[in-house]
Amino acid sequence: FYTQLFAPKRRKYALDAQTKIVFTILVALPQQKNASAWRINMKYWVSMAGLTGLDLLIKRIVENCMQLDSKKYVLQDKLIIRKHHNDGAIFDSFPAKKSVIYVASYALFGFFTGLFATEKSKVKKAGLMLILSGALSNAIDRLQFGYVIDYFTVMYGRLKRIIFNLGDWFLFVGVTIWSLAEIFTSERTQKRKYYCSNKGDSFEESK
């Protein structure tokens, strides 16, 4: 069973996919300023590895134990477990732009990795960790198979039309957290600058 579950199904050009991804991640490591900063960030790296590993494990089980587009209804038919090969971007979008998606995916992965390595805010760092977890899982799929494995559908509203994997949700939640944190931080900074400028003007007038 173990051999069947983790049997390699790589394309000819996708040799050592995991090594390529790990090399990309290691680009961020030299940006850690000291050993203390690395220890603080360790919990995020470990969490990222755990979430990525969980998604990849489920994908491999689905890939090796289910037929393509087969379905299993669970949770009183509120969730469908299915096997689907996604040739496009997140949520099966832009299937015809494969080369563009490859370049954009790895460019964004490198960009967010750089942000993660230098970010000090815990909230933003948590959001970036989720983004990288989802991006890493899907990037490994693209390198290894040439497509991303999606495996469940939520039977609610418009979500019925979309087939997800956990990596997609990591990306969505991570981008939401990081974006909201960026907005609130920007507003707080502007208010602080406004307050300081007004205080300075008042001080000049008192003179």
Side-chain angles (χ1 to χ4, degrees):
F1 174 76
Y2 180 86
T3 304
Q4 180 185 5
L5 184 60
F6 294 98
K9 295 184 178 180
R10 303 180 177 183
R11 292 189 171 186
K12 293 180 180 179
Y13 64 84
L15 299 175
D16 253 345
Q18 288 83 355
T19 303
K20 296 178 183 178
I21 294 296
V22 170
F23 177 79
T24 305
I25 293 176
L26 290 177
V27 172
L29 301 186
Q31 299 185 43
Q32 305 298 330
K33 293 183 178 179
N34 50 49
S36 176
W38 169 245
R39 284 195 296 270
I40 292 172
N41 289 328
M42 178 59 74
K43 61 182 179 182
Y44 295 104
W45 291 107
V46 171
S47 299
M48 187 191 306
L51 293 174
T52 302
L54 174 63
D55 191 33
L56 287 174
L57 176 62
I58 297 174
K59 286 176 177 178
R60 298 306 175 264
I61 293 174
V62 170
E63 180 72 3
N64 289 281
C65 300
M66 293 185 69
Q67 297 295 322
L68 190 63
D69 293 324
S70 61
K71 301 178 182 179
K72 292 183 179 180
Y73 292 84
V74 296
L75 298 178
Q76 297 179 348
D77 296 344
K78 294 180 180 179
L79 189 71
I80 299 177
I81 305 298
R82 60 200 305 179
K83 178 180 175 180
H84 175 71
H85 292 165
N86 177 7
D87 293 323
I90 183 173
F91 303 146
D92 214 1
S93 56
F94 309 110
K97 305 292 184 180
K98 183 177 289 189
S99 59
V100 176
I101 290 168
Y102 272 58
V103 174
S105 298
Y106 300 133
L108 287 173
F109 184 80
F111 171 73
F112 282 113
T113 301
L115 286 180
F116 177 82
T118 56
E119 184 57 63
K120 295 180 180 179
S121 167
K122 292 182 178 179
V123 176
K124 291 182 185 178
K125 217 168 185 65
L128 289 168
M129 181 270 294
L130 287 171
I131 292 172
L132 290 174
S133 298
L136 179 59
S137 174
N138 289 340
I140 288 175
D141 271 6
R142 286 194 178 94
L143 282 172
Q144 187 170 3
F145 303 118
Y147 53 80
V148 175
I149 302 166
D150 293 331
Y151 50 81
F152 73 91
T153 297
V154 180
M155 300 302 291
Y156 179 79
R158 295 184 179 181
L159 295 178
K160 296 178 181 179
R161 305 175 183 177
I162 306 173
I163 308 174
F164 306 94
N165 59 48
L166 281 180
D168 294 335
W169 283 100
F170 295 156
L171 281 165
F172 176 74
V173 175
V175 168
T176 302
I177 292 173
W178 179 73
S179 300
L180 290 176
E182 279 286 336
I183 292 171
F184 288 130
T185 301
S186 177
E187 289 181 353
R188 193 177 302 145
T189 302
Q190 290 178 359
K191 287 180 180 178
R192 190 180 296 116
K193 288 181 179 179
Y194 178 77
Y195 173 77
C196 291
S197 64
N198 287 346
K199 189 175 181 180
D201 293 341
S202 300
F203 179 74
E204 290 294 331
E205 290 176 3
S206 65
K207 282 185 175 182

